[in-house]
């Protein structure tokens, strides 16, 4: 693969396998809009999923919010290799301005809500009945324990993936953990891409919406979408 065509980018035009065409929306039959592509083998955080590259498309006419019946109104195309990658150009120009970033490959930890799913032992240390409303007010207990684990002195934003993130753990911006489960094996999916409002992309989901993409480690054709607004 040529590195340049598969480089992580937001906006611009997507790279596809030669012969692949522009994906259409199952809902309105219009073109899906290209949002981002990721050189996952290079830029994915720890515990990588077994793919090397993916592209992400979304329909702003249908505006899916992650329900099962919205299948095909957004799309993750993932690859374990690309033989003849080429940039697929379409229309008068890209929907979004092309932008690039260099990822910071640090270790991420689940956020307070995510500890419930990913680190039950730690969550159980939270005073009160873990998961209850009182416990939500005690997330700092989880935070302090997490800091001890990583031997950090102060929480750094990226430790909690609080931004645009490729892999690692989701940072839930509003309410509880909404990790989708795989419809084939019922196991929780893993974070593929999280897009918070950022200078990296002009794509947006409602008023200050964060979009999360998930994938099953075993069944990589199974992907999930979530959106939370703050
Ligand atoms: Zn549509
Ligand atoms: Zn699965």
């Amino acid at each position: 693969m040529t590195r340049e065509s598969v480089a992580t980018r937001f906006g611009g035009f997507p790279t596809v396998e030669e012969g692949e065409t522009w994906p259409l929306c199952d809902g309105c039959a219009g073109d899906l809009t290209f949002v981002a592509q990721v050189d996952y083998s290079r830029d994915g955080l720890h515990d990588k999923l077994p793919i090397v590259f993916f592209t992400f498309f979304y329909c702003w006419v249908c505006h899916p919010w992650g329900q099962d019946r919205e299948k095909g109104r957004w799309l993750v195309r993932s690859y374990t290799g690309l033989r003849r990658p080429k940039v697929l150009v379409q229309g008068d120009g890209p929907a979004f301005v092309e932008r690039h970033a260099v990822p910071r490959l640090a270790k991420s930890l689940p956020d307070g809500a995510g500890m419930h799913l990913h680190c039950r032992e730690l969550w159980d240390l939270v005073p009160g009945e873990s998961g209850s409303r009182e416990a939500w007010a005690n997330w700092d207990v989880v935070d302090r324990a997490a800091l001890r684990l990583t031997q950090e002195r102060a929480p750094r934003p990226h430790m909690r993936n609080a931004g645009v993130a490729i892999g690692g753990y989701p940072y839930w911006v509003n309410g509880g953990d909404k990790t989708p489960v795989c419809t084939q094996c019922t196991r929780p999916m893993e974070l593929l891409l999280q897009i918070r409002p950022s200078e990296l992309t002009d794509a947006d989901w409602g008023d200050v919406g964060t979009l999360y993409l998930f994938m099953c480690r075993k069944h990589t054709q199974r992907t999930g979408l979530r959106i939370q607004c703050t």
Side-chain angles (χ1 to χ4, degrees):
M1 283 195 286
T2 54
R3 261 330 349 161
E4 202 178 314
S5 65
V6 297
T8 298
R9 61 173 173 263
F10 290 77
F13 287 112
T15 291
V16 298
E17 183 71 276
E18 194 178 66
E20 276 184 319
T21 54
W22 198 279
L24 300 176
C25 173
D26 285 353
C28 64
D31 288 335
L32 287 172
T33 301
F34 172 64
V35 181
Q37 69 173 41
V38 172
D39 180 353
Y40 189 77
S41 63
R42 196 194 65 175
D43 297 340
L45 266 181
H46 52 84
D47 300 332
K48 283 183 195 162
L49 294 152
I51 58 166
V52 299
F53 177 74
F54 70 88
T55 51
F56 170 51
F57 299 82
Y58 186 88
C59 179
W60 267 276
V61 175
C62 298
H63 220 301
W65 281 74
Q67 307 299 315
D68 284 348
R69 60 188 152 77
E70 297 166 337
K71 275 271 173 269
R73 292 162 203 214
W74 56 277
L75 175 70
V76 172
R77 270 183 179 167
S78 66
Y79 305 81
T80 52
L82 276 165
R83 272 165 305 139
R84 290 167 179 272
K86 67 180 266 263
V87 177
L88 190 60
V89 176
Q90 182 234 37
D92 298 332
F96 300 119
V97 176
E98 179 172 323
R99 298 205 181 94
H100 301 254
V102 178
R104 192 159 39 180
L105 297 176
K107 192 170 183 63
S108 90
L109 288 170
D111 66 5
M115 286 290 176
H116 181 247
L117 175 70
H118 298 289
C119 191
R120 208 56 209 234
E121 301 86 345
L122 204 49
W123 181 255
D124 289 341
L125 297 177
V126 176
E129 191 195 332
S130 293
S132 70
R133 288 198 79 81
E134 309 85 76
W136 293 83
N138 282 315
W139 277 359
D140 64 303
V141 175
V142 172
D143 279 340
R144 272 184 275 124
L147 282 181
R148 276 207 302 276
L149 277 178
T150 53
Q151 296 170 354
E152 299 275 351
R153 259 182 246 125
R156 294 175 297 167
H158 65 277
M159 193 179 92
R160 287 292 206 260
N161 261 359
V164 173
I166 302 168
Y169 296 96
Y171 184 88
W172 298 108
V173 294
N174 190 7
D177 187 295
K178 293 283 188 290
T179 301
V181 295
C182 173
T183 50
Q184 214 166 327
C185 67
T186 71
R187 267 189 289 220
M189 293 191 190
E190 296 178 41
L191 184 71
L192 193 56
L193 179 64
Q194 167 184 291
I195 307 177
R196 285 195 86 184
S198 132
E199 289 139 23
L200 252 184
T201 177
D202 298 319
D204 65 66
W205 291 274
D207 195 13
V208 203
T210 297
L211 177 135
Y212 310 83
L213 285 178
F214 293 84
M215 177 179 277
C216 175
R217 180 169 290 277
K218 202 163 165 211
H219 310 103
T220 55
Q221 291 313 306
R222 307 281 176 185
T223 48
L225 173 108
R226 294 287 185 262
I227 293 173
Q228 283 191 343
C229 292
T230 43

